[in-house]
Amino acid sequence: MAEHEAIIERMRDSILEADDDEAVAAAEAALAAGMDPLAALEAGFSEPIRELGEAFNRLEIFLPQLVLSARTMQAGLKVLERALTTAAREAARKGVVVIGTVEGDIHDIGKTIVVAMLRSAGYEVHDLGTDVPLPQFINVAEQTHADIIGMSALLSTTMLRQRDLLELLQLKGIRDKYFVIVGGAPATQAWADSIGANAFARDAHEAVLCLNARARNVTSRA
Ligand code: B1M
């Protein structure tokens, strides 16, 4: 269908050019043309944002380009999300993630990219923002029946809050309910192992791969 292909092309270009208005207009055109919102999301928004994430990892593009494109994707995603039926959302859902930057820390660029990549990969994500008090991670995770808690920390002082949240989960006797993933510049695999986190991801792409591996494990055990 030439019309559908042209709309996907418009959506892709809007992400690559970080054009929010065009992303919204192209998403609306996709719905008006009767396209499946999930298929349009995958081909029109998810694929190009993944390509940009990989280009960023290869140092081929600069950070502002990736951040602006991630925000553009969120603008277009809002239009498509409204149209997704409950059934379609269930089909796309690989897990419910509660994520934020830990208390005392206001860095949010990396976390926002992780959120955009997880959403585009089919996760339901509750983004708590920055400077998030530890009990809020747990309260929202319990309220939303989340299975994954993600914590970002960019300072060597605030990364200690990642350890504190794991201790709090233990104390409350609910540690095993959650798959806990940590990230942020000072975090390492060794740090994640030492605090008993389930996973560490160096970047947003790795976070998606790691949670996808978890989703496959959960499905194969079910
Ligand atoms: Co700040 N800052 N900063 N800063 N800042 C760093 C982190 C620092 C390393 C700079 C330096 O000194 N070289 C340093 C920390 C030193 C340390 O503790 N080891 C630092 C400092 C000291 C500070 C202040 C204390 C400065 C001051 O006020 N004296 C202050 C702290 C404020 C606070 O939080 N309380 C501060 C403030 C700021 C700004 C507000 C100016 C700004 C943040 C703006 C914003 O986020 N809205 C800022 C910035 C931009 C930086 C640097 C330059 C860049 C961070 C960034 O956005 N990187 C940073 C230097 C650096 O990191 N080299 C620095 C790009 C981003 C894509 O990468 O965030 O690492 P990143 O995210 C990656 C991965 O880490 C991973 O995936 C992301 C995408 O691929 N990832 C996850 C991140 N979270 C994840 C979660 C996951 C999985 C993967 O699962 C849950």
Short mmCIF file of all heavy atoms in Angstrom, two decimals, residues 98-166:
data_model
loop_
_atom_site.label_atom_id
_atom_site.label_comp_id
_atom_site.label_asym_id
_atom_site.label_seq_id
_atom_site.Cartn_x
_atom_site.Cartn_y
_atom_site.Cartn_z
N VAL A 98 8.62 0.25 36.60
CA VAL A 98 8.60 1.52 37.33
C VAL A 98 10.05 2.00 37.37
O VAL A 98 10.94 1.27 37.81
CB VAL A 98 8.04 1.33 38.76
CG1 VAL A 98 8.31 2.56 39.61
CG2 VAL A 98 6.55 1.05 38.71
N ILE A 99 10.26 3.21 36.88
CA ILE A 99 11.65 3.68 36.73
C ILE A 99 11.78 5.13 37.16
O ILE A 99 10.82 5.91 37.04
CB ILE A 99 12.10 3.50 35.25
CG1 ILE A 99 13.60 3.76 35.09
CG2 ILE A 99 11.31 4.36 34.31
CD1 ILE A 99 14.13 3.37 33.71
N GLY A 100 12.95 5.48 37.67
CA GLY A 100 13.18 6.87 38.03
C GLY A 100 14.66 7.08 38.33
O GLY A 100 15.43 6.13 38.42
N THR A 101 15.01 8.36 38.48
CA THR A 101 16.35 8.70 38.97
C THR A 101 16.24 8.84 40.48
O THR A 101 15.32 9.51 40.97
CB THR A 101 16.85 10.01 38.35
OG1 THR A 101 16.80 9.90 36.92
CG2 THR A 101 18.27 10.33 38.77
N VAL A 102 17.15 8.22 41.21
CA VAL A 102 17.02 8.13 42.66
C VAL A 102 17.09 9.49 43.36
O VAL A 102 17.57 10.47 42.78
CB VAL A 102 18.11 7.21 43.27
CG1 VAL A 102 17.95 5.79 42.79
CG2 VAL A 102 19.50 7.76 42.94
N GLU A 103 16.64 9.51 44.61
CA GLU A 103 16.58 10.78 45.34
C GLU A 103 17.96 11.42 45.48
O GLU A 103 18.98 10.73 45.57
CB GLU A 103 15.91 10.60 46.70
CG GLU A 103 16.64 9.74 47.68
CD GLU A 103 15.79 9.44 48.92
OE1 GLU A 103 14.58 9.21 48.80
OE2 GLU A 103 16.37 9.43 50.02
N GLY A 104 17.95 12.76 45.40
CA GLY A 104 19.21 13.51 45.48
C GLY A 104 19.86 13.72 44.13
O GLY A 104 20.88 14.40 44.02
N ASP A 105 19.25 13.15 43.09
CA ASP A 105 19.88 13.17 41.75
C ASP A 105 18.88 13.70 40.72
O ASP A 105 17.77 13.18 40.60
CB ASP A 105 20.28 11.73 41.40
CG ASP A 105 21.31 11.67 40.27
OD1 ASP A 105 21.23 12.51 39.35
OD2 ASP A 105 22.17 10.77 40.32
N ILE A 106 19.31 14.76 39.99
CA ILE A 106 18.37 15.35 39.03
C ILE A 106 18.75 15.08 37.57
O ILE A 106 18.16 15.65 36.66
CB ILE A 106 18.22 16.88 39.25
CG1 ILE A 106 19.58 17.57 39.08
CG2 ILE A 106 17.60 17.18 40.61
CD1 ILE A 106 19.47 19.08 38.91
N HIS A 107 19.73 14.22 37.34
CA HIS A 107 20.10 13.90 35.96
C HIS A 107 19.00 13.06 35.33
O HIS A 107 18.61 12.03 35.88
CB HIS A 107 21.41 13.10 35.93
CG HIS A 107 22.59 13.89 36.40
ND1 HIS A 107 22.95 13.97 37.72
CD2 HIS A 107 23.49 14.64 35.72
CE1 HIS A 107 24.02 14.73 37.84
NE2 HIS A 107 24.38 15.16 36.64
N ASP A 108 18.49 13.49 34.16
CA ASP A 108 17.39 12.70 33.59
C ASP A 108 17.52 12.37 32.11
O ASP A 108 16.66 11.69 31.55
CB ASP A 108 16.03 13.37 33.86
CG ASP A 108 15.77 14.55 32.95
OD1 ASP A 108 16.73 15.06 32.33
OD2 ASP A 108 14.61 14.97 32.87
N ILE A 109 18.61 12.80 31.48
CA ILE A 109 18.70 12.59 30.02
C ILE A 109 18.80 11.09 29.70
O ILE A 109 18.04 10.56 28.89
CB ILE A 109 19.90 13.37 29.44
CG1 ILE A 109 19.66 14.87 29.63
CG2 ILE A 109 20.10 13.04 27.96
CD1 ILE A 109 20.85 15.74 29.31
N GLY A 110 19.74 10.42 30.37
CA GLY A 110 19.92 8.98 30.11
C GLY A 110 18.68 8.18 30.46
O GLY A 110 18.25 7.32 29.69
N LYS A 111 18.09 8.52 31.60
CA LYS A 111 16.89 7.79 32.04
C LYS A 111 15.75 7.98 31.03
O LYS A 111 15.02 7.04 30.71
CB LYS A 111 16.48 8.28 33.44
CG LYS A 111 15.38 7.51 34.10
CD LYS A 111 14.04 8.20 33.96
CE LYS A 111 14.07 9.62 34.48
NZ LYS A 111 13.00 10.44 33.89
N THR A 112 15.62 9.22 30.50
CA THR A 112 14.56 9.49 29.52
C THR A 112 14.77 8.66 28.25
O THR A 112 13.80 8.17 27.65
CB THR A 112 14.52 11.00 29.19
OG1 THR A 112 14.30 11.69 30.41
CG2 THR A 112 13.42 11.34 28.22
N ILE A 113 16.02 8.48 27.88
CA ILE A 113 16.30 7.65 26.68
C ILE A 113 15.94 6.19 26.98
O ILE A 113 15.31 5.51 26.16
CB ILE A 113 17.78 7.79 26.27
CG1 ILE A 113 18.06 9.21 25.82
CG2 ILE A 113 18.13 6.80 25.16
CD1 ILE A 113 19.54 9.53 25.63
N VAL A 114 16.30 5.73 28.18
CA VAL A 114 15.97 4.35 28.55
C VAL A 114 14.44 4.17 28.50
O VAL A 114 13.93 3.19 27.96
CB VAL A 114 16.52 4.00 29.96
CG1 VAL A 114 16.03 2.63 30.41
CG2 VAL A 114 18.05 4.03 29.96
N VAL A 115 13.72 5.15 29.06
CA VAL A 115 12.24 5.07 29.08
C VAL A 115 11.69 4.99 27.65
O VAL A 115 10.85 4.13 27.34
CB VAL A 115 11.64 6.30 29.82
CG1 VAL A 115 10.14 6.41 29.59
CG2 VAL A 115 11.95 6.21 31.31
N ALA A 116 12.19 5.86 26.77
CA ALA A 116 11.68 5.88 25.39
C ALA A 116 11.97 4.55 24.69
O ALA A 116 11.11 4.00 23.99
CB ALA A 116 12.32 7.03 24.61
N MET A 117 13.17 4.02 24.91
CA MET A 117 13.53 2.75 24.25
C MET A 117 12.69 1.60 24.79
O MET A 117 12.27 0.72 24.03
CB MET A 117 15.02 2.45 24.46
CG MET A 117 15.94 3.48 23.85
SD MET A 117 16.28 3.20 22.12
CE MET A 117 17.53 1.96 22.21
N LEU A 118 12.45 1.60 26.11
CA LEU A 118 11.64 0.51 26.68
C LEU A 118 10.20 0.60 26.17
O LEU A 118 9.59 -0.41 25.82
CB LEU A 118 11.65 0.56 28.21
CG LEU A 118 12.97 0.15 28.89
CD1 LEU A 118 12.87 0.31 30.40
CD2 LEU A 118 13.32 -1.30 28.56
N ARG A 119 9.66 1.83 26.13
CA ARG A 119 8.29 1.98 25.62
C ARG A 119 8.22 1.49 24.18
O ARG A 119 7.29 0.79 23.80
CB ARG A 119 7.83 3.44 25.71
CG ARG A 119 7.50 3.83 27.13
CD ARG A 119 6.75 5.16 27.20
NE ARG A 119 6.38 5.42 28.59
CZ ARG A 119 6.54 6.57 29.22
NH1 ARG A 119 7.03 7.61 28.58
NH2 ARG A 119 6.19 6.70 30.48
N SER A 120 9.22 1.88 23.40
CA SER A 120 9.16 1.50 21.99
C SER A 120 9.35 0.01 21.82
O SER A 120 8.96 -0.57 20.82
CB SER A 120 10.18 2.29 21.16
OG SER A 120 11.45 1.77 21.39
N ALA A 121 9.93 -0.65 22.83
CA ALA A 121 10.12 -2.11 22.75
C ALA A 121 8.91 -2.86 23.30
O ALA A 121 8.93 -4.08 23.37
CB ALA A 121 11.38 -2.51 23.51
N GLY A 122 7.87 -2.13 23.73
CA GLY A 122 6.64 -2.81 24.14
C GLY A 122 6.44 -2.94 25.64
O GLY A 122 5.58 -3.70 26.08
N TYR A 123 7.19 -2.20 26.44
CA TYR A 123 7.00 -2.25 27.89
C TYR A 123 6.04 -1.14 28.32
O TYR A 123 6.04 -0.05 27.74
CB TYR A 123 8.34 -2.09 28.62
CG TYR A 123 9.22 -3.30 28.44
CD1 TYR A 123 10.06 -3.39 27.33
CD2 TYR A 123 9.16 -4.36 29.32
CE1 TYR A 123 10.82 -4.52 27.11
CE2 TYR A 123 9.94 -5.49 29.11
CZ TYR A 123 10.76 -5.57 28.02
OH TYR A 123 11.51 -6.69 27.80
N GLU A 124 5.25 -1.45 29.36
CA GLU A 124 4.45 -0.40 30.00
C GLU A 124 5.37 0.25 31.03
O GLU A 124 5.85 -0.44 31.94
CB GLU A 124 3.23 -1.02 30.68
CG GLU A 124 2.37 0.00 31.41
CD GLU A 124 1.19 -0.67 32.13
OE1 GLU A 124 0.61 -1.65 31.60
OE2 GLU A 124 0.88 -0.22 33.24
N VAL A 125 5.64 1.54 30.86
CA VAL A 125 6.64 2.18 31.72
C VAL A 125 6.02 3.32 32.52
O VAL A 125 5.37 4.21 31.96
CB VAL A 125 7.81 2.75 30.88
CG1 VAL A 125 8.87 3.35 31.81
CG2 VAL A 125 8.44 1.66 30.02
N HIS A 126 6.22 3.28 33.84
CA HIS A 126 5.79 4.38 34.70
C HIS A 126 7.04 5.15 35.09
O HIS A 126 7.86 4.65 35.87
CB HIS A 126 5.07 3.84 35.94
CG HIS A 126 3.85 3.06 35.59
ND1 HIS A 126 2.60 3.64 35.47
CD2 HIS A 126 3.69 1.75 35.24
CE1 HIS A 126 1.73 2.71 35.09
NE2 HIS A 126 2.35 1.57 34.95
N ASP A 127 7.18 6.33 34.49
CA ASP A 127 8.39 7.13 34.70
C ASP A 127 8.15 8.10 35.87
O ASP A 127 7.33 9.02 35.76
CB ASP A 127 8.71 7.90 33.41
CG ASP A 127 9.97 8.73 33.53
OD1 ASP A 127 10.62 8.70 34.61
OD2 ASP A 127 10.32 9.41 32.56
N LEU A 128 8.88 7.89 36.96
CA LEU A 128 8.65 8.72 38.16
C LEU A 128 9.46 10.02 38.12
O LEU A 128 9.36 10.83 39.03
CB LEU A 128 9.03 7.93 39.41
CG LEU A 128 8.36 6.56 39.57
CD1 LEU A 128 8.78 5.90 40.87
CD2 LEU A 128 6.84 6.71 39.53
N GLY A 129 10.28 10.19 37.09
CA GLY A 129 11.05 11.43 36.97
C GLY A 129 12.36 11.35 37.72
O GLY A 129 12.98 10.29 37.78
N THR A 130 12.76 12.49 38.30
CA THR A 130 14.06 12.54 38.99
C THR A 130 13.85 12.79 40.47
O THR A 130 12.74 13.11 40.91
CB THR A 130 14.92 13.68 38.41
OG1 THR A 130 14.24 14.91 38.63
CG2 THR A 130 15.18 13.49 36.93
N ASP A 131 14.95 12.65 41.23
CA ASP A 131 14.92 12.93 42.67
C ASP A 131 13.78 12.17 43.35
O ASP A 131 13.00 12.75 44.09
CB ASP A 131 14.77 14.46 42.86
CG ASP A 131 15.07 14.88 44.29
OD1 ASP A 131 15.64 14.10 45.04
OD2 ASP A 131 14.69 16.02 44.64
N VAL A 132 13.70 10.88 43.04
CA VAL A 132 12.56 10.08 43.50
C VAL A 132 12.85 9.45 44.87
O VAL A 132 13.80 8.67 45.01
CB VAL A 132 12.24 8.95 42.49
CG1 VAL A 132 11.05 8.13 42.95
CG2 VAL A 132 12.01 9.51 41.09
N PRO A 133 12.04 9.76 45.88
CA PRO A 133 12.23 9.13 47.19
C PRO A 133 12.05 7.61 47.08
O PRO A 133 11.19 7.14 46.33
CB PRO A 133 11.11 9.74 48.05
CG PRO A 133 10.61 10.92 47.29
CD PRO A 133 10.91 10.67 45.83
N LEU A 134 12.85 6.87 47.83
CA LEU A 134 12.84 5.41 47.69
C LEU A 134 11.45 4.79 47.89
O LEU A 134 11.04 3.92 47.11
CB LEU A 134 13.86 4.77 48.63
CG LEU A 134 15.32 5.19 48.39
CD1 LEU A 134 16.26 4.39 49.27
CD2 LEU A 134 15.71 5.05 46.92
N PRO A 135 10.69 5.23 48.93
CA PRO A 135 9.37 4.60 49.11
C PRO A 135 8.45 4.77 47.89
O PRO A 135 7.58 3.93 47.66
CB PRO A 135 8.79 5.33 50.32
CG PRO A 135 9.98 5.89 51.04
CD PRO A 135 10.99 6.21 49.97
N GLN A 136 8.68 5.84 47.13
CA GLN A 136 7.80 6.07 45.95
C GLN A 136 7.99 4.97 44.89
O GLN A 136 7.03 4.57 44.24
CB GLN A 136 8.08 7.45 45.36
CG GLN A 136 6.96 7.92 44.45
CD GLN A 136 7.27 9.28 43.83
OE1 GLN A 136 8.05 10.05 44.38
NE2 GLN A 136 6.66 9.57 42.69
N PHE A 137 9.23 4.51 44.72
CA PHE A 137 9.45 3.40 43.77
C PHE A 137 8.57 2.22 44.17
O PHE A 137 7.91 1.60 43.34
CB PHE A 137 10.92 2.93 43.81
CG PHE A 137 11.89 3.81 43.07
CD1 PHE A 137 12.64 4.77 43.73
CD2 PHE A 137 12.09 3.66 41.71
CE1 PHE A 137 13.55 5.57 43.06
CE2 PHE A 137 13.01 4.44 41.01
CZ PHE A 137 13.74 5.40 41.69
N ILE A 138 8.60 1.93 45.48
CA ILE A 138 7.89 0.74 45.95
C ILE A 138 6.37 0.95 45.89
O ILE A 138 5.64 0.08 45.41
CB ILE A 138 8.34 0.39 47.39
CG1 ILE A 138 9.84 0.07 47.38
CG2 ILE A 138 7.52 -0.78 47.95
CD1 ILE A 138 10.43 -0.26 48.73
N ASN A 139 5.92 2.13 46.34
CA ASN A 139 4.47 2.39 46.32
C ASN A 139 3.91 2.26 44.92
O ASN A 139 2.89 1.61 44.71
CB ASN A 139 4.16 3.79 46.88
CG ASN A 139 4.49 3.88 48.35
OD1 ASN A 139 4.64 2.85 49.02
ND2 ASN A 139 4.63 5.09 48.87
N VAL A 140 4.58 2.91 43.95
CA VAL A 140 4.05 2.87 42.58
C VAL A 140 4.16 1.46 42.00
O VAL A 140 3.26 0.98 41.31
CB VAL A 140 4.76 3.91 41.68
CG1 VAL A 140 4.26 3.82 40.25
CG2 VAL A 140 4.54 5.32 42.22
N ALA A 141 5.24 0.76 42.33
CA ALA A 141 5.39 -0.61 41.83
C ALA A 141 4.26 -1.49 42.35
O ALA A 141 3.68 -2.30 41.60
CB ALA A 141 6.74 -1.19 42.25
N GLU A 142 3.92 -1.31 43.62
CA GLU A 142 2.84 -2.12 44.19
C GLU A 142 1.49 -1.74 43.56
O GLU A 142 0.70 -2.60 43.20
CB GLU A 142 2.77 -1.91 45.71
CG GLU A 142 3.99 -2.46 46.44
CD GLU A 142 3.94 -3.97 46.65
OE1 GLU A 142 3.06 -4.43 47.38
OE2 GLU A 142 4.78 -4.70 46.07
N GLN A 143 1.26 -0.41 43.41
CA GLN A 143 -0.03 0.05 42.86
C GLN A 143 -0.24 -0.39 41.41
O GLN A 143 -1.36 -0.66 40.99
CB GLN A 143 -0.11 1.59 42.89
CG GLN A 143 -0.42 2.17 44.25
CD GLN A 143 0.06 3.63 44.35
OE1 GLN A 143 0.39 4.26 43.34
NE2 GLN A 143 0.13 4.14 45.56
N THR A 144 0.85 -0.41 40.64
CA THR A 144 0.70 -0.69 39.20
C THR A 144 0.94 -2.17 38.87
O THR A 144 0.93 -2.55 37.71
CB THR A 144 1.70 0.15 38.38
OG1 THR A 144 3.02 -0.16 38.84
CG2 THR A 144 1.45 1.63 38.51
N HIS A 145 1.16 -2.99 39.92
CA HIS A 145 1.47 -4.42 39.74
C HIS A 145 2.67 -4.58 38.80
O HIS A 145 2.66 -5.42 37.89
CB HIS A 145 0.25 -5.19 39.21
CG HIS A 145 -0.95 -5.01 40.08
ND1 HIS A 145 -1.05 -5.58 41.33
CD2 HIS A 145 -2.08 -4.29 39.92
CE1 HIS A 145 -2.19 -5.22 41.89
NE2 HIS A 145 -2.83 -4.43 41.06
N ALA A 146 3.66 -3.75 39.02
CA ALA A 146 4.86 -3.82 38.18
C ALA A 146 5.64 -5.09 38.47
O ALA A 146 5.50 -5.69 39.54
CB ALA A 146 5.74 -2.60 38.47
N ASP A 147 6.45 -5.52 37.49
CA ASP A 147 7.34 -6.63 37.78
C ASP A 147 8.81 -6.21 37.74
O ASP A 147 9.69 -6.99 38.10
CB ASP A 147 7.12 -7.84 36.85
CG ASP A 147 6.39 -7.51 35.59
OD1 ASP A 147 6.80 -6.54 34.92
OD2 ASP A 147 5.41 -8.21 35.29
N ILE A 148 9.04 -4.97 37.29
CA ILE A 148 10.43 -4.52 37.14
C ILE A 148 10.58 -3.13 37.79
O ILE A 148 9.71 -2.26 37.58
CB ILE A 148 10.80 -4.41 35.65
CG1 ILE A 148 10.66 -5.79 34.97
CG2 ILE A 148 12.21 -3.86 35.46
CD1 ILE A 148 10.41 -5.73 33.49
N ILE A 149 11.65 -2.94 38.55
CA ILE A 149 11.97 -1.61 39.08
C ILE A 149 13.33 -1.22 38.50
O ILE A 149 14.29 -1.99 38.57
CB ILE A 149 12.04 -1.59 40.63
CG1 ILE A 149 10.66 -1.90 41.22
CG2 ILE A 149 12.55 -0.24 41.13
CD1 ILE A 149 10.63 -1.94 42.75
N GLY A 150 13.37 -0.01 37.90
CA GLY A 150 14.63 0.47 37.32
C GLY A 150 15.07 1.74 38.02
O GLY A 150 14.27 2.65 38.23
N MET A 151 16.34 1.77 38.41
CA MET A 151 16.87 2.97 39.07
C MET A 151 18.07 3.50 38.32
O MET A 151 19.02 2.76 38.05
CB MET A 151 17.32 2.63 40.48
CG MET A 151 16.20 2.42 41.46
SD MET A 151 16.92 1.96 43.07
CE MET A 151 17.30 0.24 42.83
N SER A 152 18.01 4.80 38.03
CA SER A 152 19.13 5.47 37.39
C SER A 152 19.82 6.35 38.43
O SER A 152 19.14 6.96 39.27
CB SER A 152 18.60 6.32 36.23
OG SER A 152 19.66 6.97 35.58
N ALA A 153 21.14 6.41 38.39
CA ALA A 153 21.90 7.30 39.29
C ALA A 153 23.15 7.75 38.55
O ALA A 153 23.84 6.94 37.95
CB ALA A 153 22.27 6.58 40.57
N LEU A 154 23.41 9.05 38.59
CA LEU A 154 24.57 9.58 37.85
C LEU A 154 25.69 10.04 38.76
O LEU A 154 26.77 10.38 38.28
CB LEU A 154 24.11 10.75 36.96
CG LEU A 154 23.77 10.45 35.49
CD1 LEU A 154 25.01 10.22 34.67
CD2 LEU A 154 22.85 9.27 35.37
N LEU A 155 25.43 10.08 40.06
CA LEU A 155 26.47 10.56 40.99
C LEU A 155 26.96 9.39 41.83
O LEU A 155 26.17 8.51 42.19
CB LEU A 155 25.90 11.65 41.91
CG LEU A 155 25.31 12.89 41.21
CD1 LEU A 155 24.60 13.78 42.21
CD2 LEU A 155 26.42 13.67 40.50
N SER A 156 28.25 9.42 42.16
CA SER A 156 28.75 8.30 42.98
C SER A 156 28.13 8.34 44.37
O SER A 156 28.09 7.31 45.05
CB SER A 156 30.28 8.30 43.03
OG SER A 156 30.77 9.60 43.10
N THR A 157 27.64 9.51 44.78
CA THR A 157 26.96 9.57 46.09
C THR A 157 25.54 8.99 45.99
O THR A 157 25.11 8.22 46.84
CB THR A 157 26.86 11.02 46.58
OG1 THR A 157 26.42 11.83 45.49
CG2 THR A 157 28.19 11.52 47.08
N THR A 158 24.82 9.32 44.92
CA THR A 158 23.42 8.88 44.85
C THR A 158 23.28 7.42 44.42
O THR A 158 22.24 6.81 44.64
CB THR A 158 22.59 9.78 43.91
OG1 THR A 158 23.19 9.76 42.61
CG2 THR A 158 22.49 11.18 44.43
N MET A 159 24.34 6.85 43.81
CA MET A 159 24.20 5.44 43.43
C MET A 159 24.01 4.56 44.67
O MET A 159 23.45 3.46 44.58
CB MET A 159 25.38 4.96 42.57
CG MET A 159 26.66 4.75 43.31
SD MET A 159 28.05 4.50 42.19
CE MET A 159 28.03 2.74 42.00
N LEU A 160 24.40 5.07 45.83
CA LEU A 160 24.20 4.30 47.07
C LEU A 160 22.71 4.08 47.36
O LEU A 160 22.33 3.12 48.03
CB LEU A 160 24.85 5.03 48.26
CG LEU A 160 26.36 5.27 48.12
CD1 LEU A 160 26.89 6.05 49.31
CD2 LEU A 160 27.10 3.95 47.98
N ARG A 161 21.88 4.97 46.80
CA ARG A 161 20.42 4.80 47.01
C ARG A 161 19.91 3.54 46.31
O ARG A 161 18.90 2.97 46.70
CB ARG A 161 19.64 6.03 46.50
CG ARG A 161 20.02 7.38 47.11
CD ARG A 161 19.58 7.51 48.55
NE ARG A 161 20.51 6.90 49.48
CZ ARG A 161 21.69 7.43 49.87
NH1 ARG A 161 22.07 8.60 49.42
NH2 ARG A 161 22.47 6.81 50.73
N GLN A 162 20.62 3.12 45.26
CA GLN A 162 20.21 1.88 44.57
C GLN A 162 20.34 0.71 45.55
O GLN A 162 19.46 -0.14 45.64
CB GLN A 162 21.09 1.64 43.33
CG GLN A 162 20.93 2.74 42.27
CD GLN A 162 21.86 2.57 41.07
OE1 GLN A 162 22.93 2.00 41.17
NE2 GLN A 162 21.43 3.10 39.93
N ARG A 163 21.45 0.71 46.29
CA ARG A 163 21.66 -0.34 47.31
C ARG A 163 20.57 -0.23 48.39
O ARG A 163 19.98 -1.23 48.81
CB ARG A 163 23.04 -0.16 47.94
CG ARG A 163 23.38 -1.16 49.01
CD ARG A 163 24.49 -0.65 49.90
NE ARG A 163 24.11 0.62 50.54
CZ ARG A 163 24.98 1.47 51.10
NH1 ARG A 163 26.26 1.21 51.10
NH2 ARG A 163 24.56 2.59 51.66
N ASP A 164 20.26 1.04 48.80
CA ASP A 164 19.29 1.22 49.88
C ASP A 164 17.91 0.70 49.49
O ASP A 164 17.19 0.15 50.31
CB ASP A 164 19.18 2.72 50.24
CG ASP A 164 20.48 3.26 50.83
OD1 ASP A 164 21.35 2.43 51.20
OD2 ASP A 164 20.64 4.49 50.89
N LEU A 165 17.54 0.89 48.22
CA LEU A 165 16.21 0.42 47.80
C LEU A 165 16.14 -1.11 47.85
O LEU A 165 15.13 -1.68 48.28
CB LEU A 165 15.84 0.92 46.40
CG LEU A 165 14.45 0.49 45.96
CD1 LEU A 165 13.37 1.14 46.83
CD2 LEU A 165 14.17 0.80 44.52
N LEU A 166 17.23 -1.74 47.43
CA LEU A 166 17.25 -3.22 47.50
C LEU A 166 17.12 -3.68 48.95
O LEU A 166 16.40 -4.64 49.25
CB LEU A 166 18.52 -3.75 46.85
CG LEU A 166 18.42 -3.71 45.32
CD1 LEU A 166 19.78 -3.62 44.66
CD2 LEU A 166 17.69 -4.94 44.81
#
